[in-house]
Amino acid sequence: MEILWVLMAAIMIGAVLVPFLRRRRGMIEQVHPGHPDAADPENYGFVREEELDIRMPGPDQDLLDVLEVVQHTQDYRAAQQLLAGTEARGERRWQRVQAFAGAASLELRQRPGGAGEAPGGQWLRAWRSEAPKDAGGAAVHAEFLVQQAWRTATPGTDEFRIIMEEARAACADAALLAPGDPIPYIVELSVARGLAYSRAEFEQLWLKILDRAPAHMGAHLAALHYWCEKWHGSRALAYEFAEAAAARAPKGSLLSAMPLFAVFEHLPEVTLVSGFYQSEVVTRAMHGALHAVHSARPDDPMLAHVRHLLVFFLVRAERWAEAMNQLIHIDGHVGALPWTLSQDPAAEFAVYRALAVAGYEANGGSPATLPH
């Protein structure tokens, strides 16, 4: 899963015109306003590009309110209370741990301290020193260290290893404070990737998570990275992991979408095969994700993540109406894959949204025919 709050640094100054786009010969090309293929996403009630929220994949107003209080007052207690009242084994708690850690890390980057100025993120330091037995604070601190390692050091260097080893110790401390909590072990999945755990070590860690939260989607996405070709596995191992998760997914679980994330992680840099996004492998993965979306609880915190990735694949496959059906649920927030990989997530999302609208209208669709 992606870091949520570092994206705040990418907010662009001023308004950016939503580009009108179309696909031709597998490439994305600009369609100028006034062209017959041009279509206006605002006709569908979609949010203007400059108003898209790049921090999160979907709404969590409680989190936003608490973060505003914490960062304004530098008092951690509102964050402590929010985490304490969030289901320990649920997806939302993991997302909130990531958000608090990312906010502290971003503050530190913006205000590193020195010359008489206190460094940013002091509220997290106070949280750990004043409430050392608080499991929520311990989990946020461990995730903070992980994010600091990836953000400030280069994998393979001594500096990176030192920070990751500190994060590993922090995960162990957090696990001792809450033995049944999967979060410390989910945080450690990133440590395992960074420190190149052996497969035996990684599988031992994974079993601890399965014992506590066997259907945790966020944990599965974090574990998938380890098995990917670019880290410590291969395309075959990543697909095997994702398909096994989908096969054992309980009713209503989004784990059926895991193969689509595995496909995304192994997309070729350049697609030379015509119809790649209509291929059997991609189509099967999309159908699994669509089934997962249709059967999931409407309030599942991971639902927006799956919908965002589906928009990417459905647009690439020129399945315009299905892409529009996903867009009406997620428009307004773009803090998710694949948009977060771009330096300008809002612009990247707007490109695909405009493509979906143009393709939908080219095939007879209109605001009146789009179900809400």
Side-chain angles (χ1 to χ4, degrees), residues 74-86:
Q74 290 296 297
D75 187 335
Y76 65 86
R77 284 175 292 185
Q80 182 183 36
Q81 291 170 3
L82 183 64
L83 280 187
T86 306

Side-chain angles (χ1 to χ4, degrees), residues 33-57:
H35 188 282
D37 287 347
D40 190 352
E42 288 189 48
N43 292 338
Y44 294 81
F46 291 148
V47 174
R48 293 175 64 85
E49 180 184 328
E50 58 268 26
E51 297 172 356
L52 291 167
D53 190 328
I54 66 173
R55 297 170 296 182
M56 296 185 297

Side-chain angles (χ1 to χ4, degrees), residues 4-5 56 63 67 94-104 147:
L4 303 177
W5 286 89
M56 296 185 297
L63 172 63
L67 265 169
W94 168 230
Q95 292 183 3
R96 288 173 172 174
V97 165
Q98 287 184 299
F100 287 132
Q147 293 192 24

Side-chain angles (χ1 to χ4, degrees), residues 314-363:
L314 290 169
V315 167
R316 286 287 185 176
E318 300 182 358
R319 294 166 63 165
W320 314 115
E322 291 169 287
M324 293 292 286
N325 286 334
Q326 301 305 317
L327 281 167
I328 61 176
H329 293 287
I330 58 172
D331 189 71
H333 296 83
V334 295
L337 284 175
W339 328 122
T340 52
L341 297 180
S342 169
Q343 292 185 346
D344 189 346
E348 186 77 3
F349 174 81
V351 164
Y352 280 80
R353 185 178 64 181
L355 277 168
V357 170
Y360 183 63
E361 293 191 353
N363 286 276

Side-chain angles (χ1 to χ4, degrees), residues 21-326:
L21 303 149
R22 65 177 173 181
R23 278 176 63 103
R24 179 186 294 166
R25 300 193 187 99
M27 301 297 292
I28 295 177
E29 298 181 356
Q30 187 169 351
V31 178
H32 299 285
H35 188 282
D37 287 347
D40 190 352
E42 288 189 48
N43 292 338
Y44 294 81
F46 291 148
V47 174
R48 293 175 64 85
E49 180 184 328
E50 58 268 26
E51 297 172 356
L52 291 167
D53 190 328
I54 66 173
R55 297 170 296 182
M56 296 185 297
D60 186 347
Q61 194 59 48
D62 288 342
L63 172 63
L64 293 177
D65 291 344
V66 166
L67 265 169
E68 183 177 356
V69 169
V70 169
Q71 295 186 308
H72 178 71
T73 65
Q74 290 296 297
D75 187 335
Y76 65 86
R77 284 175 292 185
Q80 182 183 36
Q81 291 170 3
L82 183 64
L83 280 187
T86 306
E87 183 188 357
R89 302 189 183 193
E91 305 282 355
R92 195 172 298 282
R93 188 165 184 268
W94 168 230
Q95 292 183 3
R96 288 173 172 174
V97 165
Q98 287 184 299
F100 287 132
S105 180
L106 184 58
E107 280 186 44
L108 181 59
R109 189 170 87 176
Q110 293 173 335
R111 300 193 307 278
E117 180 187 33
Q122 286 290 98
W123 54 269
L124 180 54
R125 294 178 179 82
W127 191 352
R128 291 299 294 131
S129 63
E130 295 174 15
K133 300 299 183 183
D134 181 64
V140 172
H141 179 242
E143 173 65 14
F144 167 80
L145 291 170
V146 166
Q147 293 192 24
Q148 282 295 100
W150 290 110
R151 188 172 298 154
T152 65
T154 302
T157 63
D158 289 342
E159 180 186 6
F160 181 84
R161 176 168 288 277
I162 288 169
I163 302 173
M164 275 298 189
E165 290 289 359
E166 187 179 355
R168 185 178 192 173
C171 289
D173 291 343
L176 287 174
L177 291 172
D181 188 353
I183 300 297
Y185 300 105
I186 298 175
V187 175
E188 193 180 349
L189 289 172
S190 189
V191 177
R193 177 161 53 101
L195 294 181
Y197 280 21
S198 69
R199 290 183 183 175
E201 288 177 301
F202 186 87
E203 286 169 353
Q204 283 185 334
L205 171 61
W206 184 239
L207 285 175
K208 292 176 182 177
I209 295 170
L210 292 182
D211 286 343
R212 292 161 176 80
H216 198 290
M217 180 72 171
H220 280 79
L221 290 176
L224 176 64
H225 289 295
Y226 177 91
W227 295 112
C228 285
E229 190 173 62
K230 60 189 173 186
W231 287 105
H232 309 297
S234 65
R235 180 190 301 265
L237 286 171
Y239 280 21
E240 181 182 336
F241 174 81
E243 288 164 2
R248 65 170 181 270
K251 184 178 180 179
S253 168
L254 286 165
L255 289 178
S256 297
M258 284 298 298
L260 190 64
F261 285 87
V263 170
F264 179 77
E265 291 294 335
H266 294 87
L267 286 178
E269 291 291 331
V270 178
T271 303
L272 299 177
V273 179
S274 177
F276 172 80
Y277 288 91
Q278 292 91 16
S279 66
E280 182 181 353
V281 170
V282 176
T283 299
R284 187 169 63 245
M286 280 195 289
H287 286 171
L290 286 166
H291 170 75
V293 163
H294 292 153
S295 60
R297 299 190 329 268
D299 62 345
D300 191 316
M302 294 302 294
L303 185 55
H305 286 274
V306 180
R307 289 190 188 278
H308 279 287
L309 195 63
L310 271 169
V311 168
F312 172 86
F313 277 98
L314 290 169
V315 167
R316 286 287 185 176
E318 300 182 358
R319 294 166 63 165
W320 314 115
E322 291 169 287
M324 293 292 286
N325 286 334
Q326 301 305 317

